[in-house]
Amino acid sequence: MLNAATSSALTFSSTPNFYRSPSSLSIVLPNPKSIISSYARSSVLAVMEKAITRGHLTVADSEGVHHFGTRSKGSNDVYLKVLSSDFWMRVLFSQDLGFSEAYMMGDVEVDSLKAVMDLWLDNESGMDNLTSAVSRVTSAISGLSNAFLGQTRSKARLNAIASYDQSNELFKAFLSQEMMYSCALWTEAEGGVRGDLISGPTPGDLEAAQLRKIRYVLTAAKVKPGDRILEFGSGWGGMAIEAARTFGCEVDTLTLSKEQKALAEERIKAAGLQDVIRVHLMDYREIPPSFEKAFDAFVSIEMLEHVGSKHYHDYFKLVDFALKSSNATAVVSASTFPESRYSGYQPEDFMRKYMWPNSCLPSATALITAANTGSEARFTLEGVENHAAHYPRTLREWGRRLDANVRQDLIVKDYPSLKDKAEFDAFRRKWQYLFAYAGAGFAKGYITCHMLTFTRPNDCPATCD
């Protein structure tokens, strides 16, 4: 949860700003914070002067207005109003993480978060000049810590608590009826991936696109009535319910979130499917011996981001352990980095600090390699798809529902500190920032969203001769 004490990039102790000399001559000395703030301001403005080569940025604060870049037809034009000098220090010392904290804490106002994200990514190479020696060291340390310690079994449970053991009412407020917290799939039935921007959102669009995604995954998994499915990452039961209700399957699904398990089981019971769906509060590394070669299909939708690069091999080794030796299919999807950006050592940023602690985005190649080694070549890669173009609209839909449905009185029982309006405003801004930040990343190709399908060797394709 956000508060000024925990989210500040820097904290300065209070020091007297004057010294009384023996001769009674008063010498006024500058406040240390103001010195650093002034240095941060001049440093950030100097970098922006050189960095902004695409689009135009206007920055206004108590000392004046500055313009960077060039206005041109169709180019990005951003207006940024600095309300607190803390903004400059946050950005200088923590770059994009610092900007996110400044936005959440109300140190800065922007006319469009999306425009800010687009401008930052369009001028990313120049913005790298903001990186200080201090931030390079802290990034290296946090990257190593995340890689080696971030996804241990004990840490995995703590990560789930921070990421998903939040208010179910909050997630109900912006997710679709299926409560899928992952990328939807849009078609011309909803106007495509930009339909909401062209003709406006229509009630039920998100529900239709999320149901299409669920059925698309289950169809790729080649499931049929009577099949047994293993799922890593239950969410709130959306995939399992559809697999049992429409496809006639039996499902074992794993989660580390007590809140998700409770609501998933409630939804499963309401659907009358409690006899064919079992929700396990279990780390995937703890699946029982009885699961060996017991499943016809495996699915996992956007859970791999919580596995960590050091554990991909073991992850697929366990998938191989659980799937039958023939006529079995595995379908996994994840938000991913393009190969050029991927590293197993991912330092703390907005996502990993405030949304999904210790998460690590894989690359498609890293997962394919791990599937091959983890299964000892007992998987055949059948399909690779990139659904990144479908994510920005999904995030826009979530953002609209968040703005429309998340009220202070709705979630204050789960977050007592949000009785304070400033805390509630920071909480809302955190989620607004998430949707804009991720949306720009997918739209600009900074991050991708891959779905991979694996079959067993010598499993026959559809009749083709």
Side-chain angles (χ1 to χ4, degrees):
M1 188 173 302
L2 297 172
N3 57 56
T6 60
S7 64
S8 296
L10 290 174
T11 303
F12 295 89
S13 59
S14 176
T15 34
N17 62 1
F18 66 91
Y19 167 74
R20 180 72 66 183
S21 70
S23 63
S24 298
L25 175 66
S26 296
I27 302 175
V28 178
L29 298 177
N31 185 309
K33 180 175 179 178
S34 68
I35 295 174
I36 298 177
S37 176
S38 178
Y39 169 76
R41 180 180 184 275
S42 60
S43 298
V44 172
L45 291 175
V47 169
M48 288 181 177
E49 183 70 46
K50 296 179 179 179
I52 307 299
T53 59
R54 297 179 60 190
H56 181 265
L57 172 65
T58 301
V59 179
D61 68 357
S62 60
E63 297 185 41
V65 179
H66 299 264
H67 299 276
F68 306 100
T70 305
R71 284 192 176 96
S72 60
K73 186 176 180 180
S75 68
N76 203 0
D77 196 355
V78 176
Y79 179 81
L80 206 157
K81 183 177 182 181
V82 178
L83 303 177
S84 168
S85 61
D86 288 347
F87 168 82
W88 304 110
M89 292 181 288
R90 294 186 197 275
V91 173
L92 179 65
F93 289 100
S94 300
Q95 296 80 56
D96 54 343
L97 173 59
F99 183 87
S100 72
E101 292 175 336
Y103 177 77
M104 290 186 288
M105 299 311 299
D107 294 341
V108 63
E109 290 180 350
V110 299
D111 56 349
S112 166
L113 265 179
K114 178 186 182 302
V116 171
M117 304 302 172
D118 288 345
L119 188 77
W120 188 288
L121 291 177
D122 284 344
N123 297 278
E124 183 188 3
S125 59
M127 293 297 189
D128 285 345
N129 292 323
L130 281 171
T131 304
S132 65
V134 172
S135 66
R136 283 194 293 270
V137 171
T138 56
S139 290
I141 292 172
S142 67
L144 289 169
S145 175
N146 186 23
F148 289 102
L149 303 174
Q151 295 88 20
T152 62
R153 296 190 191 192
S154 58
K155 258 300 178 58
R157 171 65 185 135
L158 294 174
N159 295 339
I161 291 171
S163 303
Y164 303 110
D165 273 359
Q166 303 184 48
S167 166
N168 282 330
E169 296 304 314
L170 169 67
F171 290 106
K172 286 179 183 178
F174 69 84
L175 296 179
S176 63
Q177 291 177 2
E178 295 78 15
M179 293 194 73
M180 292 297 289
Y181 195 18
S182 56
C183 182
L185 288 182
W186 307 92
T187 68
E188 287 308 310
E190 301 87 34
V193 296
R194 300 188 73 252
D196 61 320
L197 301 177
I198 297 170
S199 57
T202 302
D205 277 358
L206 182 59
E207 280 71 19
Q210 289 290 17
L211 184 58
R212 181 182 298 111
K213 168 67 173 293
I214 293 172
R215 292 176 176 174
Y216 188 81
V217 169
L218 292 171
T219 300
K222 302 180 177 67
V223 298
K224 58 188 183 300
D227 279 356
R228 189 176 177 191
I229 301 173
L230 175 62
E231 179 185 32
F232 287 175
S234 308
W236 291 270
M239 178 71 69
I241 290 171
E242 184 63 15
R245 180 173 56 199
T246 303
F247 289 78
C249 298
E250 184 180 345
V251 184
D252 286 88
T253 181
L254 277 57
T255 181
L256 282 174
S257 168
K258 292 180 179 178
E259 289 292 321
Q260 284 190 333
K261 182 178 188 292
L263 184 53
E265 289 182 329
E266 179 184 317
R267 285 157 49 83
I268 290 164
K269 186 175 181 180
L273 299 169
Q274 64 272 22
D275 293 335
V276 290
I277 302 175
R278 290 167 292 277
V279 183
H280 305 269
L281 190 67
M282 181 188 297
D283 190 290
Y284 71 93
R285 289 162 287 197
E286 297 170 351
I287 58 175
S290 61
F291 278 16
E292 184 174 7
K293 299 294 178 282
F295 295 90
D296 303 282
F298 171 84
V299 295
S300 184
I301 307 303
E302 297 188 31
M303 173 270 185
L304 268 161
E305 297 89 332
H306 301 287
V307 170
S309 60
K310 302 300 179 186
H311 304 284
Y312 296 151
H313 173 93
D314 291 341
Y315 175 97
F316 283 104
K317 183 177 181 179
L318 290 169
V319 176
D320 172 56
F321 168 85
L323 279 181
K324 293 177 179 178
S325 299
S326 62
N327 298 313
T329 304
V331 179
V332 299
S333 77
S335 294
T336 50
F337 273 130
E339 275 63 25
S340 61
R341 294 184 186 277
Y342 171 71
S343 168
Y345 305 95
Q346 297 179 17
E348 185 175 70
D349 62 1
F350 167 76
M351 298 285 201
R352 279 178 278 280
K353 183 170 183 178
Y354 290 110
M355 303 307 302
W356 299 289
N358 299 303
S359 59
C360 177
L361 299 191
S363 70
T365 301
L367 296 180
I368 293 168
T369 300
N372 185 54
T373 60
S375 70
E376 297 182 2
R378 287 188 290 267
F379 283 140
T380 296
L381 178 64
E382 183 173 79
V384 179
E385 301 176 44
N386 182 4
H387 296 157
H390 295 261
Y391 229 140
R393 181 172 179 181
T394 304
L395 291 156
R396 290 194 298 269
E397 296 286 356
W398 289 346
R400 292 185 189 102
R401 294 184 182 212
L402 179 87
D403 291 341
N405 300 327
V406 174
R407 306 185 314 274
Q408 193 170 5
D409 62 319
L410 178 71
I411 58 174
V412 74
K413 62 183 178 64
D414 294 312
Y415 299 94
S417 67
L418 299 187
K419 290 179 181 178
D420 181 89
K421 186 178 184 303
E423 292 288 330
F424 177 71
D425 289 343
F427 180 85
R428 282 179 63 94
R429 284 194 293 266
K430 178 183 79 167
W431 286 92
Q432 291 166 345
Y433 192 91
L434 165 66
F435 298 147
Y437 180 86
F442 285 111
K444 292 288 185 180
Y446 187 87
I447 44 179
T448 45
C449 184
H450 280 97
M451 185 178 106
L452 310 177
T453 304
F454 300 92
T455 58
R456 288 303 197 183
N458 301 318
D459 281 1
C460 297
T463 302
C464 55
D465 61 2

